[in-house]
Amino acid sequence: KGRFAYSTSGRGTRREGQGQANLCSDHTKSFSKRRNLELHIRTIHEGIKDFACDVCGKTFGYLSHLKRHIKSI
């Protein structure tokens, strides 16, 4: 997917003694679940923001960020 590469080891789960399994190629950031890595790439690297505030129109890449925004307005 996209132009950003990632690596996985095992089944994408973190086990004692192992690092996190899914690594972003552009950062030192790692994720315990492949889906979280995919969301990171989509939101941070590709700039896709699927969640918009109905009040002000500001967009967010993560639903949790939109929910936090709504609580603050």
Side-chain angles (χ1 to χ4, degrees):
K1 287 183 173 182
R3 63 184 180 95
F4 295 96
Y6 55 86
S7 64
T8 61
S9 63
R11 295 178 173 230
T13 58
R14 186 175 182 191
R15 294 185 179 160
E16 193 65 33
Q18 294 180 345
Q20 291 196 4
N22 301 287
L23 305 173
C24 175
S25 64
D26 281 11
H27 295 90
T28 57
K29 196 160 183 77
S30 62
F31 301 86
S32 61
K33 296 181 181 176
R34 183 175 177 161
R35 178 67 181 141
N36 292 341
L37 170 63
E38 291 168 353
L39 287 172
H40 165 79
I41 291 171
R42 181 176 168 88
T43 301
I44 303 302
H45 298 292
E46 296 175 358
I48 298 170
K49 298 180 178 182
D50 292 329
F51 305 98
C53 176
D54 291 334
V55 176
C56 71
K58 186 172 181 177
T59 57
F60 300 89
Y62 298 95
L63 179 59
S64 62
H65 294 179
L66 171 61
K67 288 179 177 181
R68 181 177 60 205
H69 167 76
I70 291 170
K71 285 182 179 181
S72 72
I73 56 173

